[in-house]
Amino acid sequence: MVALPAKIEDWFTAQGWQIHPHQRDMLDRAKDPATLLIAPTGGGKTMAGFLPTLAELSDAPPDGLHTLYISPLKALAADIKRNLRRPVEDIGLDIRIEDRTGDTTQTQRKRQRADPPHILLTTPESLALLLSYEDAPRMFKGVSRVVLDEIHALAESKRGDQLMLALSRLQALSPDLRRVGLSATVEYPQAIADFLAHHPAKPNILEADPGPDPNIAMLETDEPPPWAGGGGKYAIPAVLEQVRQHKTTLIFHNTRAQAEIFFHNLWLANDDRLPIGIHHGSLDRAQRAKVEQAMVDGHLKAIVCTGSLDLGIDWGDVDLVIQVGAPKNVKRLIQRIGRANHRYNAPSKALLVPANRFEIVECKAALDAAKAHQLDGDPRARGPRDVLCQHILIRAASGPFRADELYAEVTTAGPFRDLTRPEFDACLEFCATGGYALRAYDRYQRLVEQGGECRLRDPRLTQQIRMNIGTIIDTETLKVRLKNRRGGTPLGEVEEGFAATLTQGDTFLIGGQIVRYEGLNEMTVEVTRNAADKPKIATFMGTKFATSTQLSARILQIFQQDAWPDLPSHTAAWLALQRDRSRLPEPGRLLIESFPHDGRANTVVYGFAGRNAMQTLGLLLTNRMEEQGLNPLGFVSTDYAVLIWGLDKLTDPAPLFDRDGLREGLEKWLAGNAVMKRTFRNSAIIGGLIDRLTRGKRKTGRQATFSSDILYDTLRKYDPDHLMLQITREEALKGLIDFGRIEEMCERIGDRIDLVELDRVTPLAAPLFLEPGRVPIKGLAEERLLQDAAEALLNESGLNQIQPKQKRWAVPY
Amino acid sequence: MNIFDFEFAGAELQALGSGAVYWPDQELLVVSDLHLGKSERMARRSGQLLPPYEGIETLTRLDEAIAQTRPKRVICLGDSFDDLDAGRSLPEDQITWIARLMAGREWTWIEGNHDPGPLEFGGSHRAELILGPLTFRHIATQEGRAEVSGHYHPKAQLILRGRSLTRPCFLKDSTRLILPAFGTYTGGLHSSDAALSTLMAQDAKAILTGSTLCEMPMPR
């Protein structure tokens, strides 16, 4: 254990602060090789992580790096620097604290490598970059502690896998390195501990007092939510009323587009001109910083935001969190709620706003789960091999290595603890030669073996490796600038695909403003201010989360109640009517409804597998229905059901759900799938097969660069077992395609399939007809579209340029 | 068969879905920008180890185009090899493959900006070639008349009911015909790029390649 020096203890007392029990525990455990601290938001987690460092460095600290602090956000590193410097300066400790992120200047970076501070605050990517330099052993030789903040968030993505590999390297450079992980409340602390561990050692797990239960409720509104769709526009008067009654409110949305629409509508109704801002990841950095500062200064009554505000930066005195749209995932809900009342031991206050009728049930399920302290956590998957490939290249950039030693090293990283030697060798082979079935590149291998050591063939390759470090792959976006005399105010970014659909005069929403598209200048979208009524909605990257397995199961449980006195009466009546007309879906069974509507045969499959898996299921089922001659025309899916319309009625559903058949269909369908191609591109960049496309490169035109889709098609044709395709398949199964949950559904329902044939639409199915995102099947292939468009264009004689006709999307049924 | 018939400077030509042009009267097949040896050159120059199958794929498609049209003459409009070294270090089986395709045909390699001319292969090597009313060269010229060229790798982007679609394409007006790149690992230049939109006349058309060829006003 490490004792807290009196001068530090005194400083705490002078601030009127008490050292929390878990902060003491961290001091007691300070000498242990690895400790995971689980504490609620506002529990002084970060200070708990740093107290042992301050104690150890309180008297005449020797030069050199002592503690490395890693956070998922650059902003968090800067924030912590401010917060740490205050006690250090007040107490007069001789400790140098610096941060290092993508924003740090070149001179500062060079100096940090030559003469590192005592405490370095950084991100996983910056750490990986530091480890790629030849002088990494010197810089990290004596580092004693590493503090991983928000480790639960890092553990959710490949950034975490990369970080743990970096730590395995760090531990090899400094064997006495002690690890500390700081996590918000999670369902399986053991899973995070395994992730953090230096295998096979087991870390301590310290769980802080979780504090009082949050005060969560559903927001009551005069108007019931609509039958379908998202956004929560109906609730705006009630939300404004809540904003008025509280000091500062955070209004969370699940997607950036929804945040934009809500913010726009909120301002249209904001007759009192309450100061309300918007914050999401696609807005320009300067714009975001402005909102953050206004928030810290207490100038804002509310912020409409997305996950970009999820992590623990202290934004001042938030006393209410509103979640618009069902939270989809209880863990995230609890973490968001923790943002209100950033004080330990005070209950946080939160309101849920269901966006549609079905989400009332979903919100109810989330409330029940939160009360029961049941978070959802899927056990963490094995570390993906594209990240390992990048790590091997980074290792090679820093100097020659022995394959045996590197294998031993990477298997001490939690996510790669059960990596087999053949798997490792395949990755190494890929890094060295490309790993193709066809022998090639004998003269141009990237890695060559010399005296039992692997080294880069050409030292100039280090630069390319460093340029490609990181696991976050941006979708291709274009900057948006407001055209004005001073060269244009940056507003943010939109997806390139969205920008391509714009013609001059189109209006869209960004950063809460309606702007008019004027044109594309170089790689920038130029816009002017415009006050149109019905702007288009810009699409932003970012995933739509699927409702978790736990929440889906809870919804099915709610359906089993005899009556629903705890739901709003309109919703209870709706469920009762469904039970009367048809039946309600049950756990362990699969309900399928079949009924005619508008002259077509409709089939509704209540699979409750989450939106990504239900979308995949829709594609697979319509494929199989096509084969059976049922002539499906299209489908639409939500988190809980898929609605398929077609010419012929489904009478025997069982063969459709044969698992082998589904899997076979998946393989076939995956071949030409756009999601697969995007997944491939991401893994190919991470694994080092292709370079990241930097803005500068895109500007020079595309004549020389070609789409990674071509590589995907070529590999599939000539080298179908190639490592990159194996990785792509693994990624797709858990990501947007989510076949894992279809298998889980098949397991859950077995052969218990109930087909209910009816003469008209059922109450539960009706909202599905209003859902956006309909997917047309065949007959509408690109070729047909193209022919139609070409014909129409040529008919308009005298037309010497293409006017992309914004025809209304019509589904041919 | 996936063919688009059109008239250019008095010649009756056929665009093929693969991006080649066939001239029945002359029994001539024209392809442009094969960029053979691309992956090898990338490995040599940048260390990127791309799937080394593009040569096989490009030659397979060229083989198909030849089987489909049975030409007496073939013109490769330049940038047939990604550079001179790429031409020299082509794998043995691809060299024999090319020799087999060339056998019994009058074969012309037009000089490109990437490859001054792969002398190892037979056939004739020229900076440009005039045949009937048409002139064949690698890069279109300002003053060119009845000129068939490649180089730009033109592609067209269309917005169709809210989604965008991009295809390699032929560009043509009354004086110029520009072929898309035939090679597998080749990117493209949007027809809307200044280099192409200033070169092509106002009434230029684009013929989009793919499983159904289709003609439309050139997207600008």
Side-chain angles (χ1 to χ4, degrees):
Chain A
M1 85 172 251
V2 169
L4 194 61
K7 51 185 172 185
I8 298 179
E9 185 107 37
D10 291 348
W11 182 81
F12 267 81
T13 318
Q15 304 298 311
W17 294 350
Q18 241 193 336
I19 294 183
H20 297 310
H22 61 267
Q23 293 175 327
R24 289 253 180 245
D25 292 344
M26 289 298 281
L27 284 163
D28 291 347
R29 301 290 184 90
K31 293 291 180 205
D32 294 354
T35 306
L36 173 65
L37 171 66
I38 310 238
T41 323
K45 256 197 317 262
T46 315
M47 190 47 88
F50 275 112
L51 273 182
T53 297
L54 295 184
E56 287 171 25
L57 292 176
S58 64
D59 273 323
D63 280 349
L65 192 58
H66 178 280
T67 296
L68 198 57
Y69 164 91
I70 319 279
S71 91
L73 288 183
K74 283 189 263 191
L76 202 51
D79 202 46
I80 302 291
K81 184 173 72 175
R82 271 196 304 277
N83 295 345
L84 266 186
R85 272 186 176 168
R86 204 162 68 86
V88 166
E89 279 163 20
D90 285 1
I91 303 168
L93 300 175
D94 190 19
I95 303 177
R96 240 173 78 207
I97 305 168
E98 288 174 17
D99 61 347
R100 182 192 180 100
T101 63
D103 298 341
T104 311
T105 62
Q106 278 301 329
T107 20
Q108 175 89 346
R109 285 164 186 246
K110 270 207 188 108
R111 206 184 43 71
Q112 281 174 344
R113 275 167 57 202
D115 175 22
H118 296 111
I119 301 177
L120 183 66
L121 313 162
T122 188
T123 59
E125 291 72 26
S126 286
L127 174 61
L129 184 61
L130 281 173
L131 285 169
S132 79
Y133 291 108
E134 277 183 45
D135 59 8
R138 198 177 48 75
M139 179 172 182
F140 293 110
K141 190 177 54 194
V143 63
S144 322
R145 304 185 72 229
V146 57
V147 179
L148 311 180
D149 205 354
E150 307 277 357
I151 189 173
H152 61 282
L154 283 168
E156 277 175 8
S157 73
K158 290 185 178 180
R159 301 180 73 198
D161 298 299
Q162 172 157 55
L163 176 59
M164 298 324 295
L165 286 170
L167 244 55
S168 73
R169 181 78 199 120
L170 213 52
Q171 195 96 42
L173 298 176
S174 179
D176 294 330
L177 178 73
R178 290 163 282 158
R179 305 178 177 202
V180 169
L182 309 174
S183 169
T185 321
V186 285
E187 175 72 351
Y188 301 120
Q190 193 56 52
I192 305 278
D194 288 341
F195 170 75
L196 168 72
H198 178 232
H199 278 267
K202 294 271 175 216
N204 304 313
I205 300 177
L206 284 178
E207 289 191 66
D209 175 4
D213 276 354
N215 166 9
I216 330 174
M218 231 184 289
L219 177 68
E220 281 176 26
T221 54
D222 295 334
E223 201 184 322
W227 284 108
K233 186 180 170 194
Y234 77 97
I236 281 178
V239 168
L240 275 175
E241 188 48 40
Q242 291 294 332
V243 170
R244 250 179 238 118
Q245 288 173 16
H246 289 82
K247 218 171 143 210
T248 314
T249 306
L250 292 183
I251 306 169
F252 276 105
H253 286 263
N254 289 335
T255 68
R256 295 175 193 184
Q258 274 171 1
E260 284 280 357
I261 308 167
F262 191 85
F263 183 70
H264 176 63
N265 289 320
L266 199 62
W267 267 98
L268 293 179
N270 186 5
D271 298 331
D272 302 348
R273 316 291 293 168
L274 297 171
I276 300 176
I278 180 165
H279 190 288
H280 64 70
S282 290
L283 295 181
D284 186 72
R285 196 194 294 171
Q287 298 271 346
R288 270 184 283 163
K290 232 163 58 187
V291 172
E292 288 162 14
Q293 196 53 48
M295 182 76 178
V296 171
D297 297 345
H299 294 326
L300 291 180
K301 283 290 284 177
I303 295 189
V304 175
C305 57
T306 63
S308 62
L309 274 190
D310 264 347
L311 296 170
I313 300 174
D314 205 339
W315 297 123
D317 228 346
V318 176
D319 56 349
L320 175 67
V321 165
I322 295 180
Q323 161 72 38
V324 181
K328 305 289 168 201
N329 173 314
V330 186
K331 187 170 64 183
R332 197 165 42 247
L333 174 68
I334 296 291
Q335 286 160 8
R336 281 184 178 172
I337 290 173
R339 304 307 308 279
N341 270 350
H342 229 182
R343 289 191 316 269
Y344 196 43
N345 282 337
S348 338
K349 190 172 170 193
L351 288 168
L352 303 186
V353 181
N356 60 48
R357 218 56 79 87
F358 190 84
E359 284 194 354
I360 293 179
V361 186
E362 211 174 310
C363 285
K364 177 70 176 55
L367 287 176
D368 292 350
K371 287 212 178 86
H373 297 277
Q374 243 188 42
L375 310 186
D376 22 32
D378 296 314
R380 210 177 181 279
R382 306 174 74 211
R385 283 176 289 166
D386 49 355
V387 181
L388 177 61
C389 291
Q390 188 179 109
H391 182 73
I392 293 174
L393 289 171
I394 291 172
R395 178 67 192 84
S398 73
F401 62 91
R402 287 178 186 279
D404 291 347
E405 284 171 16
L406 185 57
Y407 174 66
E409 202 173 290
V410 297
T411 46
T412 65
F416 296 92
R417 60 185 179 273
D418 53 5
L419 180 82
T420 65
R421 184 63 198 251
E423 284 172 327
F424 172 82
D425 287 340
C427 291
L428 184 60
E429 180 66 23
F430 167 77
C431 291
T433 67
Y436 299 106
L438 180 76
R439 237 179 108 79
Y441 305 129
D442 284 347
R443 288 161 60 199
Y444 307 115
Q445 292 195 4
R446 220 164 4 178
L447 303 181
V448 292
E449 210 177 318
Q450 230 171 54
E453 286 191 320
C454 297
R455 59 172 70 234
L456 285 177
R457 169 181 59 86
D458 181 345
R460 283 172 302 181
L461 293 175
T462 50
Q463 201 166 354
Q464 187 198 22
I465 292 169
R466 291 195 185 114
M467 245 178 46
N468 287 308
I469 283 179
T471 55
I472 306 170
I473 310 297
D474 297 332
T475 35
E476 298 195 349
T477 57
L478 297 176
K479 288 205 187 279
V480 180
R481 273 177 182 276
L482 201 56
K483 235 169 121 172
N484 56 23
R485 266 161 296 162
R486 282 160 305 150
T489 316
L491 294 179
E493 298 180 345
V494 293
E495 277 185 5
E496 201 172 331
F498 172 73
T501 66
L502 295 172
T503 45
Q504 195 182 15
D506 280 352
T507 55
F508 63 97
L509 267 174
I510 182 161
Q513 320 191 29
I514 304 177
V515 295
R516 180 178 190 271
Y517 176 73
E518 298 297 341
L520 201 64
N521 186 359
E522 306 256 278
M523 296 298 282
T524 304
V525 174
E526 290 188 328
V527 298
T528 51
R529 282 221 171 78
N530 189 283
D533 287 345
K534 282 238 156 77
K536 285 189 173 196
I537 306 308
T539 49
F540 303 106
M541 65 270 199
T543 35
K544 280 188 183 163
F545 291 102
T547 302
S548 71
T549 316
Q550 192 223 153
L551 271 185
S552 305
R554 280 184 175 269
I555 293 166
L556 287 170
Q557 286 303 336
I558 291 176
F559 282 165
Q560 305 320 302
Q561 292 171 215
D562 291 332
W564 299 274
D566 42 358
L567 289 177
S569 55
H570 48 70
T571 306
W574 173 47
L575 296 183
L577 192 63
Q578 168 72 16
R579 182 171 279 163
D580 184 48
R581 290 268 173 81
S582 169
R583 56 163 106 176
L584 279 163
E586 295 168 54
R589 307 188 75 83
L590 180 68
L591 173 64
I592 299 177
E593 290 178 335
S594 162
F595 50 81
H597 181 68
D598 266 1
R600 296 183 311 276
N602 294 276
T603 308
V604 184
V605 179
Y606 295 96
F608 284 87
R611 75 167 56 242
N612 296 333
M614 292 306 287
Q615 174 88 10
T616 303
L617 187 64
L619 284 160
L620 296 179
L621 290 180
T622 46
N623 263 344
R624 306 202 73 193
M625 288 168 78
E626 180 85 29
E627 283 163 16
Q628 294 186 4
L630 295 175
N631 295 307
L633 289 166
F635 75 92
V636 66
S637 54
T638 66
D639 275 299
Y640 61 98
V642 51
L643 162 68
I644 301 168
W645 53 92
L647 300 180
D648 301 294
K649 197 169 98 173
L650 174 71
T651 47
D652 181 16
L656 290 183
F657 291 89
D658 158 54
R659 231 194 291 185
D660 290 337
L662 281 178
R663 207 174 290 135
E664 195 181 301
L666 180 76
E667 274 299 317
K668 252 193 282 173
W669 169 67
L670 284 181
N673 185 275
V675 176
M676 285 298 275
K677 289 182 175 170
R678 192 169 348 138
T679 310
F680 171 78
R681 178 173 165 267
N682 291 353
S683 284
I685 292 174
I686 293 171
L689 176 62
I690 52 177
D691 286 344
R692 260 166 214 277
L693 212 52
T694 55
R695 260 173 215 287
K697 263 195 201 162
R698 280 162 64 193
K699 217 166 159 174
T700 60
R702 297 273 178 90
Q703 207 171 348
T705 58
F706 50 94
S707 141
S708 61
D709 294 1
I710 295 173
L711 297 182
Y712 175 78
D713 291 336
T714 310
L715 266 183
R716 271 195 63 93
K717 190 163 169 188
Y718 293 102
D719 207 341
D721 292 325
H722 188 261
L723 179 70
M724 274 299 136
L725 291 182
Q726 291 175 26
I727 294 173
T728 305
R729 206 168 291 124
E730 282 166 17
E731 291 293 305
L733 290 190
K734 59 189 179 201
L736 280 170
I737 290 166
D738 211 3
F739 193 70
R741 279 190 73 181
I742 295 182
E743 298 216 307
E744 181 268 333
M745 179 196 83
C746 291
E747 190 90 30
R748 176 158 50 88
I749 60 173
D751 56 359
R752 296 170 294 279
I753 299 176
D754 306 313
L755 177 67
V756 181
E757 296 184 44
L758 302 132
D759 58 0
R760 59 177 153 148
V761 183
T762 64
L764 205 54
L768 294 170
F769 286 87
L770 307 172
E771 277 292 328
R774 291 162 167 255
V775 181
I777 302 300
K778 296 207 171 162
L780 249 195
E782 261 179 2
E783 298 299 335
R784 253 272 314 277
L785 280 174
L786 191 55
Q787 291 299 325
D788 292 357
E791 216 166 286
L793 287 165
L794 286 173
N795 287 342
E796 293 180 43
S797 55
L799 191 73
N800 55 11
Q801 60 174 29
I802 298 268
Q803 294 287 357
K805 298 213 63 97
Q806 299 295 329
K807 281 189 195 160
R808 283 201 59 79
W809 177 257
V811 178
Y813 45 71
Chain B
M1 225 189 298
N2 184 23
I3 284 175
F4 182 84
D5 295 293
F6 65 101
E7 185 270 342
F8 174 68
E12 296 295 330
L13 304 180
Q14 297 179 333
L16 309 185
S18 58
V21 160
Y22 186 60
W23 187 0
D25 290 348
Q26 300 280 344
E27 294 179 81
L28 167 71
L29 182 74
V30 190
V31 291
S32 188
D33 298 271
L34 300 177
H35 286 273
L36 292 166
K38 174 104 180 178
S39 57
E40 195 262 356
R41 174 163 174 260
M42 299 273 281
R44 174 163 27 98
R45 305 257 295 230
S46 73
Q48 269 188 339
L49 306 174
L50 299 180
Y53 304 104
E54 93 285 6
I56 303 176
E57 175 67 12
T58 302
L59 290 176
T60 303
R61 291 190 303 111
L62 181 58
D63 206 331
E64 279 164 13
I66 286 175
Q68 181 189 343
T69 54
R70 302 174 166 278
K72 284 218 171 87
R73 300 170 172 174
V74 175
I75 296 179
C76 296
L77 270 183
D79 287 359
S80 306
F81 298 89
D82 214 44
D83 65 3
L84 269 182
D85 279 346
R88 290 193 195 108
S89 47
L90 218 56
E92 199 53 47
D93 54 341
Q94 290 180 30
I95 294 172
T96 10
W97 196 344
I98 293 172
R100 185 161 54 75
L101 293 178
M102 291 176 74
R105 298 194 170 87
E106 194 180 306
W107 195 286
T108 308
W109 303 101
I110 301 283
E111 179 180 299
N113 55 315
H114 276 253
D115 61 332
L119 293 172
E120 297 79 357
F121 298 90
S124 53
H125 297 263
R126 292 170 181 262
E128 55 182 66
L129 177 75
I130 296 171
L131 195 64
L134 304 183
T135 304
F136 296 86
R137 61 167 65 100
H138 182 56
I139 306 181
T141 53
Q142 274 304 332
E143 60 284 352
R145 293 283 173 271
E147 172 189 72
V148 182
S149 64
H151 178 64
Y152 288 103
H153 306 190
K155 64 181 178 183
Q157 184 183 32
L158 293 183
I159 307 300
L160 300 170
R161 306 191 193 178
R163 60 171 151 168
S164 106
L165 174 101
T166 306
R167 294 269 171 94
C169 65
F170 301 86
L171 297 180
K172 77 175 170 78
D173 58 22
S174 56
T175 56
R176 279 182 201 89
L177 173 64
I178 302 183
L179 268 62
F182 195 86
T184 301
Y185 288 176
T186 49
L189 190 67
H190 281 294
S191 57
S192 55
D193 190 277
L196 288 169
S197 57
T198 53
L199 187 64
M200 301 303 292
Q202 277 303 308
D203 61 355
K205 299 271 198 302
I207 304 167
L208 274 60
T209 62
S211 52
T212 317
L213 287 151
C214 98
E215 184 190 43
M216 57 178 57
M218 177 177 112
R220 285 175 181 274

